Amino acid sequence: MSVTKSKFRFLLIQAFSLPDNSRYALRRMQGPKESMLMNYGDVAHLLEDVEWDLHPGAPVPHGNWPVETREEFCLVGASRLPVVRAACESGIHNAIVLLGGGDPGYVESREIGRRFGIPVTACAHAQMHVAGMPCNRFSIIDISEAHNMRMHDLVVSYRFTERCASIRNINFPLPRPPEFNQRPIHAEKERVARGETSEMLETSIEESVAAIEDDGAEVIMLGCSAAYWMQPFLQRRLAEMGWEIPVLEGYSCAIAQAKLMVGLGLDASRLAFPSDSPKKWRRRKPC
Amino acid sequence: MSVTKSKFRFLLIQAFSLPDNSRYALRRMQGPKESMLMNYGDVAHLLEDVEWDLHPGAPVPHGNWPVETREEFCLVGASRLPVVRAACESGIHNAIVLLGGGDPGYVESREIGRRFGIPVTACAHAQMHVAGMPCNRFSIIDISEAHNMRMHDLVVSYRFTERCASIRNINFPLPRPPEFNQRPIHAEKERVARGETSEMLETSIEESVAAIEDDGAEVIMLGCSAAYWMQPFLQRRLAEMGWEIPVLEGYSCAIAQAKLMVGLGLDASRLAFPSDSPKKWRRRKPC
Amino acid sequence: MSVTKSKFRFLLIQAFSLPDNSRYALRRMQGPKESMLMNYGDVAHLLEDVEWDLHPGAPVPHGNWPVETREEFCLVGASRLPVVRAACESGIHNAIVLLGGGDPGYVESREIGRRFGIPVTACAHAQMHVAGMPCNRFSIIDISEAHNMRMHDLVVSYRFTERCASIRNINFPLPRPPEFNQRPIHAEKERVARGETSEMLETSIEESVAAIEDDGAEVIMLGCSAAYWMQPFLQRRLAEMGWEIPVLEGYSCAIAQAKLMVGLGLDASRLAFPSDSPKKWRRRKPC
Amino acid sequence: MSVTKSKFRFLLIQAFSLPDNSRYALRRMQGPKESMLMNYGDVAHLLEDVEWDLHPGAPVPHGNWPVETREEFCLVGASRLPVVRAACESGIHNAIVLLGGGDPGYVESREIGRRFGIPVTACAHAQMHVAGMPCNRFSIIDISEAHNMRMHDLVVSYRFTERCASIRNINFPLPRPPEFNQRPIHAEKERVARGETSEMLETSIEESVAAIEDDGAEVIMLGCSAAYWMQPFLQRRLAEMGWEIPVLEGYSCAIAQAKLMVGLGLDASRLAFPSDSPKKWRRRKPC
Amino acid sequence: MSVTKSKFRFLLIQAFSLPDNSRYALRRMQGPKESMLMNYGDVAHLLEDVEWDLHPGAPVPHGNWPVETREEFCLVGASRLPVVRAACESGIHNAIVLLGGGDPGYVESREIGRRFGIPVTACAHAQMHVAGMPCNRFSIIDISEAHNMRMHDLVVSYRFTERCASIRNINFPLPRPPEFNQRPIHAEKERVARGETSEMLETSIEESVAAIEDDGAEVIMLGCSAAYWMQPFLQRRLAEMGWEIPVLEGYSCAIAQAKLMVGLGLDASRLAFPSDSPKKWRRRKPC
Amino acid sequence: MSVTKSKFRFLLIQAFSLPDNSRYALRRMQGPKESMLMNYGDVAHLLEDVEWDLHPGAPVPHGNWPVETREEFCLVGASRLPVVRAACESGIHNAIVLLGGGDPGYVESREIGRRFGIPVTACAHAQMHVAGMPCNRFSIIDISEAHNMRMHDLVVSYRFTERCASIRNINFPLPRPPEFNQRPIHAEKERVARGETSEMLETSIEESVAAIEDDGAEVIMLGCSAAYWMQPFLQRRLAEMGWEIPVLEGYSCAIAQAKLMVGLGLDASRLAFPSDSPKKWRRRKPC
């Protein structure tokens, strides 16, 4: 594997880490890297020819629960930047993959990566770019009002408003104090694994069909990383109904995009992400 | 003045504060509030009927120089949120005005304000909204490649791409180590005050004329707060050339917008800024 | 109050006046200014620091009924311009507020105001600009097919098509010969005042909910001035259902926008509203 | 010719008529219909199979000079509507062609025509629709700052912003008191007729080339009817330079569009131009 | 008729011809020209003053059934180009009308026509241009998933996305092996002729109403030429329901547009359809 | 290498093949696959882990020169489809890469591939998708008026008009009878290889700088495959001038995109490319 060895050397960085004892954790915060990467089996084939490390994420600055509001996304995004900067400075990896569905700190991380010539990818950004390849229009199946609006902000700032048919809410918010989550997402996943009916999956199917029939979606993407586990199930169930539509989850898209960019020798454009003392400057920029 | 007393009670929050001994400071970090508010004379008439306080801004987290890159904007934005939250919790003010040209932390601050029913305004956001009132299309006169791209991000995320004719760069970057700024902005301001020629102002005139003649601008807005001092001079000089075009700086727009919102009993919409446990939720959101 | 005295001196101009004996009148055509301003109580707080006069409007040129078709809007708009011109020439006021929901004569009035340096505001224009401040997307609740299309024309010409989620028709047309109105609007208002059920209000609630759930509205604005009275009731009822959404009526928005423009020293841009012999001209204008 | 006799029976209505003694007249206000139709020779072939009458236009309400500002367009538009209504009521014609470059009263006239099942066409509207047939993108060559902005308003309200590459100003304003026109347009036309050089035509060539090379124009349309005489000269001169680009004037386009609509049995859509008591109404209208 | 003789000399070219013995034929492949033109009676009045010939279309290259998939449209389009080229070279006609609902080979045919100064029109292109004249927004009533996507491609490439409210599928696919069509379209037409109920027409009414009420359509256009026969029936039935909305079929629109272009002396713009060795070239083209 | 063996099995298909004796050939039409793939060295690293075959392309149907006009693109596109269909039926490859800059037959090939579950990529489509990853806005450097318009058609139909800053013409048309090319492109390439000055490269640099400074380009893509050889030279020269901007050629992008799609198990969406007898169909499709 000496050839591929030098080709792809990726660092995957989690969005944040929760305290060990948090009752709100949705994934493992330590252990072998494979165990910490949710749904590892779904992306293992893409990591076969990659030398990869996994950073567990900076400690969450706002409490002991996951990220859902804009305030939390901002705080978590800022806490992630030193991790990205340190990774770039280490010189070990040739691409950085930011895990997490709402891309906290992504734009800023690309700016950092740009200075080191290292491409940085993130889940929602990669999904939206991939979504345009097989079709014109995608819908986002997502978990809650607050998270929907984060996805909305990303669609706007990544300039995909014309290609996003809709954001569909299945209303399975992340756990958060003071109330303990009545419908924990990991329980839904386990139900599906046991062959039982999951309300989360059934609602996702229903909203996907509405996205197809009412909104014109030709691809479905999953918004929050806590919903990525549904990808194979949702795609299969829709196909069984006669809707042969691709369903995209973020980890595989972000890894695949990182490979594409390394393969093409690309990172962010210096014109879109200028340094603080650029060699050349432009008098005028259109929007 | 007992009537107006209860009407407008504003907290103005600086984008950040630099260490006392920073050689890169562009404004005073302590003293009477009027002395800490740059170009106070230009906005004094708008503050006459306002009870206002000024918060000097959270200490800058990234060094001892101002904000210009996306990374710096993210870090400063995050450091600002606890200030906003504390202000909302205090119950003293009925609106918050975020000072600074690139609106660090604005979207998140609106979300916080929303929970307390307090409107939050910010300079670039207010300028863009005001710019649309007298005309169709505005251009931004701004200071550097990196800051231009921050303004660009704001135009996109505030959804003003169709109304923004251009961003024009006068190339007067903010001071930053290791190199000491060759063309300090405060020196330019002093030159104009002395009736001398300022390269910064002359370049701004040149770029404003190009924005009018080539880009179709019908209003000019200044991008970085370090350039706001030029507003009366630029507007007058352009008028003397025959171009009677409004020039907008951010402090007055943000204060005026705060008054409008208080007058109308408005803050951010709960649908655009949902709480983490909203009473009602929507199945579908368009982009 | 000597300070505010000189600050805001507004003339409010009605869209038109009907003959005294018109059976189709929806508001009082004479009496104290407060009595002629519909729903005065809803905007009184905004007029507290304003010296204001009210012009009853030019006599309606097309008959003895209100304005609803495009033909009527054109005729009424033209009949209004001499009133605006005379007001500007008088030099008494520092802003003009055009009352009425469909903004007859507004674009032309701004051109006139521009020559005197006097800002002119109008209800729908002000509502659309205000609507963008708390959110991305508004819907218009409006009274009839014909009036809907007038609102549609305004959305297009003010360039708000991307922000207008929908125009919703409650189908309460204005009274007009030969048929006498079966469902007079003032009777609806009185019903609500008496605590009874109003079909007009109930339909407005229903259409507002559809606008929120189906169209993505984050703010509601009322289209026709004959419907402005519903603002507090509609907002409260929606909030009680869990939809905490701002509802905008036109008078308050137009007054608040006039204050903002006077505060900032703005009127229409001379580039958007050139005089007939401008000092400078441009070779090229984009659209 | 009995077949064509019944096919096309058009009334051409001038935008306005000036007093007989006006020194600002650009065309004849009385005489045989052919003599009152400017550049009759350019459109005669299109009128061969048409039975047509020409209405000289309602007297101009604002003075004794042509129309150029928005105020003047509004007043002239309103004064034209009774003429249109009377023509529709007469039942003599099966289409109405509104002459004049800035389409005063057009939208309202279509609404009137709709009630009688009579199509109404106007110059700029017809030109913009025709312009899209051979190409993607047109530019407007037009006469003055004020008239440019009228054309701009039409581009926006007719929803051609994406197809309009630019409006180019040749700065030949219409005559207007107090100053007498230094460069009368009819003198330019005579110069060209004599084979001499016309500054108006030369500037139009220059601006057309700029529109082609800089703005991406693929068709040129002339804005003001006072400039329509240039059509054959401008098209020929551009072709001689190697730019084989169609140039459109408004009379021929409006006549040809009227024939097309009569041929297809079309007038304005009743959904876009609802009557005041429509049989059916819609709950929702998008923008 | 010597005058009209020289005015309009059109060649109508069918999209393709099927083998004589094809069981999938929807129209006659030989006989008098009137018998080969489907629904001749609906367009006869437009052809009265036209000298016209009809080309039966190049033999279908892909089998013995009509065109529905993108592959078939491409093959048929290519097979049509020699017919167009030969027609242009013959010098007999002054316009070419391409029959068929999905416009196979249209863009390329315009390029060919351009070199000979001959305008070429096609059904969907003409319908979309005509649709914009009476209104803002049209919907397409069309026959099948595959054909819908062809219409979708045309809307995009003709740049009518903003004016197309929707494509509505009545699901009456064209006949195609191996399965023989269960619901042959000509049987539907015969049913309507006999005054019986046609499922195809009833579904079209249902989808048209949905287009009006839900999508904002103000004009209906029929997508596939096999559905053009419904035009008078659909328009009448909708009017009887109270929806007075124009319904457009392609033959009349394409003929009428050809007349308009001949009347105005227009063909495709040489800038949009450059020759392979143009006299002038442009450095830059916007999109 | 047994793992990668099964992963990527690509067929690269040339746009067309010219007769052996054509004097207009720009590349080799036979020999080892590496020799037939232009600039093989630039993409060799991407093919290392791919089992690939190269199809020389169907014989050009229109003559003995390359493809440049729309007519030629249509004919060549149609001639390519049987090759694609045969390749899909063979079952040997798991992706098809269409070579050539203007993507002849691409949309139809995707439809064919869809039925076999095989992704098909093409150069311009891949470049435009890749271009969006590092930035917002790309410009196309392209060879001639006619080819520019083909690229323009692709930008529109792929829906990248908002991201395409401009198409820039370097005016090096492909060879074509009757005139023999005065400035053969391969001579330019050889000049650069010899370290001499190439007018083609210098013009490309000039137009790239104009695209950056005037049009807002943040990435450059090369339009015609005959210009792909410039990629490394153009990127280096621009970087030496201080413009660190990615330059994209089509072969590498199309190969990399094929790998991404195989990695993610994606081909075209069945909703965007329905079969002729789909299991499910939708009533409504937006545009």
Side-chain angles (χ1 to χ4, degrees), chain B residues 124-201:
Chain B
H125 185 264
Q127 283 167 291
M128 292 186 210
H129 276 281
V130 168
M133 295 178 189
C135 78
N136 288 311
R137 213 177 284 260
F138 61 87
S139 282
I140 305 175
I141 300 294
D142 193 45
I143 58 160
S144 70
E145 282 294 292
H147 205 277
N148 286 184
M149 295 316 291
R150 171 66 184 179
M151 297 312 295
H152 181 277
D153 290 354
L154 295 182
V155 171
V156 171
S157 71
Y158 297 163
R159 308 194 82 159
F160 279 93
T161 49
E162 309 241 332
R163 293 192 189 251
C164 179
S166 59
I167 300 170
R168 289 270 174 182
N169 185 3
I170 58 171
N171 208 35
F172 267 77
L174 297 176
R176 156 186 306 277
E179 23 186 343
F180 192 74
N181 198 342
Q182 297 306 312
R183 305 190 297 178
I185 285 177
H186 58 81
E188 300 292 319
K189 185 176 178 178
E190 287 160 12
R191 257 186 220 109
V192 170
R194 288 194 303 266
E196 297 171 11
T197 300
S198 150
E199 191 182 341
M200 185 179 181
L201 180 59

Side-chain angles (χ1 to χ4, degrees), chain D residues 9 30 59 70 89 134-135 163 165 168 181 216 248 263 265:
Chain D
R9 301 183 313 279
Q30 43 186 302
R70 281 160 169 126
E89 286 167 349
C135 78
R163 293 192 189 250
R168 288 271 174 182
N181 198 341
L248 303 177

Side-chain angles (χ1 to χ4, degrees), chain D residues 115-235:
Chain D
R115 298 179 183 216
F116 297 85
I118 295 177
V120 183
T121 65
C123 295
H125 185 263
Q127 283 168 291
M128 291 186 209
H129 276 282
V130 168
M133 294 178 188
C135 78
N136 288 311
R137 211 176 284 260
F138 62 86
S139 281
I140 304 176
I141 300 294
D142 193 44
I143 58 161
S144 70
E145 282 294 291
H147 205 276
N148 287 184
M149 295 316 291
R150 171 66 185 179
M151 298 311 296
H152 181 278
D153 289 354
L154 294 183
V155 171
V156 171
S157 71
Y158 297 165
R159 308 193 82 157
F160 278 92
T161 49
E162 308 241 331
R163 293 192 189 250
C164 179
S166 57
I167 300 170
R168 288 271 174 182
N169 185 3
I170 58 172
N171 208 34
F172 267 77
L174 297 175
R176 153 185 312 274
E179 20 186 345
F180 192 74
N181 198 341
Q182 298 305 314
R183 305 190 300 178
I185 284 178
H186 58 83
E188 300 291 319
K189 186 176 177 178
E190 287 160 13
R191 257 186 221 111
V192 171
R194 288 193 305 264
E196 298 172 11
T197 299
S198 151
E199 192 181 340
M200 185 178 178
L201 180 59
E202 298 305 315
T203 307
S204 296
I205 292 167
E206 194 179 333
E207 292 306 315
S208 295
V209 171
I212 294 167
E213 296 187 345
D214 298 343
D215 307 338
E218 295 168 342
V219 163
I220 298 294
M221 69 172 258
L222 295 164
C224 178
S225 60
Y228 288 174
W229 65 269
M230 293 194 296
Q231 189 272 338
F233 306 102
L234 184 55
Q235 185 165 300

